[in-house]
Amino acid sequence: MKTFILILIGFVYTFAPRLCLAQATAQQQPIPLDTIYANDTKNVALFFPEPIRQGITGSDNFVFTYNREEEQYFGLLQAKPGKESNLLVVNRNGSIFSYIVRYKKQLSKLNYFIPLSKSIGNERPILKDSILVKSSEEFVDNSTYYY
């Protein structure tokens, strides 16, 4: 009887559907996004570790401006009263930053210095080469051929 149970467990373990890594990761708790507050009377400055290549807000009552002609490290955020939205910023190196943006009449913070560690990912996957290449060159010194 024990053998039958062990075979049954082995069979179920082998052929039961399992989650792939992407599914397992998707079922984990999502990373909570930080909130940046802005209003219609002041500019809120966001300083990034790399120059900004693209910046997009999810709603018309938020405006994120940055230099589109010459990449710079900062952008300016302004808001009109309304529902919260989101801000997505992509740096020159492909790092992606995502924030919730909300309108707030009185602002306590006007400048945000955003570290690279706040990046939620990269638009181009950073893969390390998994194949190690051995050099076929051998170091030969003169003492090898000296008689």
Side-chain angles (χ1 to χ4, degrees):
M1 187 65 173
K2 288 182 184 179
T3 334
F4 177 74
I5 293 173
L6 289 174
I7 291 172
L8 183 61
I9 291 173
F11 181 78
V12 170
Y13 179 77
T14 304
F15 295 104
R18 287 185 244 159
L19 295 176
C20 70
L21 182 60
Q23 291 170 322
T25 308
Q27 290 183 351
Q28 293 176 355
Q29 294 294 330
I31 300 170
L33 299 178
D34 290 339
T35 302
I36 296 176
Y37 296 96
N39 66 19
D40 51 355
T41 60
K42 296 181 179 165
N43 283 318
V44 175
L46 304 166
F47 295 90
F48 290 90
E50 289 288 324
I52 299 168
R53 194 179 78 222
Q54 190 173 13
I56 304 164
T57 58
S59 174
D60 290 339
N61 57 327
F62 293 92
V63 177
F64 182 70
T65 57
Y66 60 97
N67 192 341
R68 288 174 170 85
E69 294 172 12
E70 184 180 331
E71 293 178 338
Q72 292 181 331
Y73 291 84
F74 74 96
L76 300 174
L77 180 67
Q78 280 195 316
K80 294 179 185 175
K83 290 186 177 183
E84 72 176 31
S85 186
N86 67 318
L87 170 68
L88 186 73
V89 176
V90 181
N91 286 142
R92 175 178 25 184
N93 67 355
S95 296
I96 301 169
F97 299 86
S98 183
Y99 291 93
I100 300 295
V101 288
R102 285 188 180 146
Y103 177 86
K104 191 175 184 182
K105 193 169 187 171
Q106 296 294 322
L107 300 176
S108 59
K109 190 172 182 180
L110 295 176
N111 300 302
Y112 291 84
F113 292 89
I114 299 166
L116 188 57
S117 61
K118 292 290 186 177
S119 170
I120 61 165
N122 197 296
E123 69 177 348
R124 294 177 291 257
I126 300 173
L127 300 175
K128 293 185 179 179
D129 192 5
S130 61
I131 301 172
L132 297 175
V133 179
K134 290 187 177 181
S135 176
S136 61
E137 242 180 76
E138 292 182 23
F139 293 103
V140 180
D141 57 347
N142 288 337
S143 64
T144 307
Y145 298 105
Y146 182 75
Y147 296 100

